Amino acid sequence: MKLVWSPETASNAYIHTVQTCKSYKESSVAEYLSATAAGWNTRLIVETWTRGDPIATSVGLAVAAIHTCGRHVCIVPDEESRTEYEDVMKRAVTSKATEVMVGESSEDVVERLSGVDFMVVDSKRREFVKALGLARTSKMGAVLVCKNAMQKSIPGFKWHGVLRRGTRVVRSVFLPVGRGLDIAHVGASGCSDLKMNPSRWIKHIDPRSGEEHLFKRK
C-alpha cells in the first residue's frame, strides 16, 4: 500500500488554513503544508516546536488533521513551551486532533511514535537531524519536511545520511516557500531508492490544483 493523493481534501484544507492564518507570519508555509498533509490523507502528523517559534505551521497542520480525521502531535522540549503552545493554539484553532508531548529533547519522544505519515522539523535547530533519524514512518509511506531549509544548522545535509536505516527516499525536492522547504517522500515497501534507481526528474504535485510538475535534478 502507499499514500494516495486527494485533490479535494487538499483544497478544502488549504482554504480552511487561509481563513485561519490571515494574521500570521509565514502563512504561505502553513497553507502549503496543510494542503500537502491533507492531500496525502495523512493520519499521524508530527512536528517539533520550541517556545517563541511562529505558530502558523502548527495551525495549518492542525487544520490538515481535522480534514483527514487524523492525529496531530506537537513535540515540545519543556512544560513552559507546552503552556505557551496550548494557550496560543486554543485561540487560533479548535481541534481535538492536536496533542502535545513533552520531552527533554524532541528526539526522545519521536522514537516512541510509530506510523508517522507526515513530519515537519525546523532546520534552524540542531536537533532536527536526530529527530528525522529516529522517525518511525508508516509502512504506507511518509512525507518528511525540513522548514527554514535555507538556514540549516547542519552543513552538507543529505536525506540518505540522516534517515533510519532501511528507509527508502523515493523523491526529494526543494521549494522556495517561506525560508525554504526541503521535502522527501519516503516510499512504502517495494519502492525504489534514489541511489538504486537514479532519475533526472522529480515529480511534484501542487496541493492547490492537484497538477503534477516535473523538476530536473542537477
Side-chain angles (χ1 to χ4, degrees):
M1 297 180 66
K2 62 181 181 179
L3 295 178
V4 179
W5 180 258
S6 172
E8 182 178 358
T9 307
S11 178
N12 291 338
Y14 174 78
I15 294 171
H16 189 170
T17 305
V18 169
Q19 296 171 340
T20 307
C21 292
K22 290 179 180 179
S23 60
Y24 292 111
K25 294 180 179 180
E26 297 190 359
S27 61
S28 60
V29 174
E31 293 156 9
Y32 180 87
L33 293 180
S34 178
T36 304
W40 285 117
N41 283 309
T42 51
R43 297 308 173 91
L44 177 53
I45 302 170
V46 178
E47 67 165 323
T48 59
W49 189 89
T50 300
R51 190 178 182 186
D53 285 350
I55 203 70
T57 296
S58 292
V59 174
L61 295 178
V63 168
I66 292 173
H67 286 270
T68 64
C69 297
R71 179 185 176 199
H72 168 225
V73 177
C74 181
I75 301 170
V76 299
D78 49 50
E79 289 297 335
E80 288 78 10
S81 294
R82 179 208 282 269
T83 299
E84 180 176 320
Y85 182 86
E86 291 180 336
D87 182 55
V88 175
M89 287 293 285
K90 285 178 182 177
R91 298 197 303 267
V93 59
T94 301
S95 174
K96 295 182 179 180
T98 298
E99 60 185 277
V100 184
M101 298 180 69
V102 179
E104 292 184 2
S105 56
S106 60
E107 59 267 22
D108 294 337
V109 183
V110 170
E111 196 170 24
R112 299 203 302 267
L113 293 170
S114 180
V116 176
D117 297 304
F118 198 91
M119 184 174 186
V120 181
V121 297
D122 191 341
S123 299
K124 293 190 300 182
R125 302 192 178 281
R126 295 191 65 84
E127 67 270 18
F128 87 94
V129 168
K130 291 183 178 179
L132 289 172
L134 293 172
R136 299 170 65 188
T137 57
S138 167
K139 293 181 180 179
M140 295 189 297
V143 177
L144 307 177
V145 181
C146 292
K147 67 178 184 178
N148 294 315
M150 295 177 183
Q151 300 172 293
K152 280 194 177 78
S153 59
I154 305 295
F157 171 86
K158 299 291 183 183
W159 284 106
H160 286 286
V162 302
L163 297 181
R164 184 183 289 270
R165 184 176 181 181
T167 302
R168 286 177 295 277
V169 179
V170 179
R171 63 182 68 89
S172 63
V173 64
F174 177 89
L175 299 178
V177 180
R179 293 181 176 83
L181 295 175
D182 195 347
I183 304 173
H185 185 177
V186 177
S189 299
C191 290
S192 298
D193 189 289
L194 286 174
K195 288 183 177 179
M196 298 178 66
N197 184 26
S199 172
R200 292 185 61 80
W201 298 92
I202 299 171
K203 182 174 72 173
H204 172 68
I205 300 177
D206 189 319
R208 303 185 188 182
S209 65
E211 296 179 347
E212 293 185 358
H213 302 278
L214 291 178
F215 296 86
K216 192 172 183 180
R217 188 189 307 281
K218 295 181 179 181

